[in-house]
Amino acid sequence: MPVDEVYRKAILEKLIRIEELVKEKVWRFVREIDEEDLEYGVSEEITIEGLGELWEEGVEKNNYLEIVSTEIMEHHDGAYLKAIFRNSLKSTYADRYISIWSSGKVDTSHAMLLKIDDLSLRIERVKGDTFKLFLKK
């Protein structure tokens, strides 16, 4: 197996572990949410013990990503390049969003998108083991 394929598999294994941790914690959280609220979407910050370090390795420091899209945008500050990079499993996506401004400023953010049965979940790291979730049916 080529080196890049071995490296890719190692990254995807980290994503699988992240997915398992998140699903376990989210199911406990979802049981307490009213069905009607999920129709409109629910945003919440939760702590998932042990996920911070794994998130850093598997999402933030991951350098084996595929380019999903690039786009030149206009803003009142000038033009900027917006790019999205992704690693994906069947129903889980780890995204890196990069904006490069004409001033030279670079903004980078990360998110993970999961599909759990009939729920869509977006998760972003706030700090350490604290994450912001957005759930919607």
Side-chain angles (χ1 to χ4, degrees):
M1 191 176 327
V3 172
D4 61 340
E5 188 61 25
V6 171
Y7 187 69
R8 180 178 175 273
K9 281 187 170 206
I11 293 297
L12 292 179
E13 286 172 10
K14 289 178 185 174
L15 288 182
I16 290 168
R17 291 199 327 249
I18 293 170
E19 179 183 47
E20 290 168 354
L21 271 175
V22 169
K23 283 182 178 181
E24 178 185 323
K25 183 70 173 191
V26 167
W27 275 124
R28 289 187 219 147
F29 174 71
V30 168
R31 288 186 211 135
E32 301 169 9
I33 300 174
D34 184 10
E35 282 286 321
E36 195 172 297
D37 291 340
L38 285 173
E39 295 292 329
Y40 295 103
V42 175
S43 185
E44 186 72 34
E45 276 190 19
I46 66 170
T47 299
I48 303 175
E49 294 297 324
L51 184 56
E53 186 177 319
L54 189 56
W55 180 274
E56 190 172 327
E57 291 175 21
V59 177
E60 292 176 2
K61 289 185 177 177
N62 173 13
N63 59 10
Y64 192 94
L65 298 158
E66 298 170 1
I67 297 173
V68 176
S69 71
T70 58
E71 184 175 6
I72 296 177
M73 307 288 290
E74 288 292 328
H75 194 266
H76 70 277
D77 294 10
Y80 70 97
L81 174 68
K82 178 179 163 184
I84 301 173
F85 298 85
R86 175 175 289 161
N87 261 345
S88 61
L89 299 166
K90 292 178 185 171
S91 60
T92 302
Y93 304 97
D95 286 352
R96 177 178 297 152
Y97 307 98
I98 299 178
S99 296
I100 304 171
W101 299 82
S102 58
S103 66
K105 177 181 159 189
V106 177
D107 292 326
T108 303
S109 61
H110 302 87
M112 199 159 177
L113 308 150
L114 292 91
K115 194 82 167 157
I116 305 172
D117 293 333
D118 60 344
L119 287 176
S120 294
L121 167 67
R122 178 182 171 92
I123 183 169
E124 298 174 2
R125 186 177 188 189
V126 176
K127 185 178 181 181
D129 284 344
T130 304
F131 293 84
K132 181 178 178 185
L133 302 177
F134 181 76
L135 292 146
K136 188 172 181 173
K137 265 200 167 181

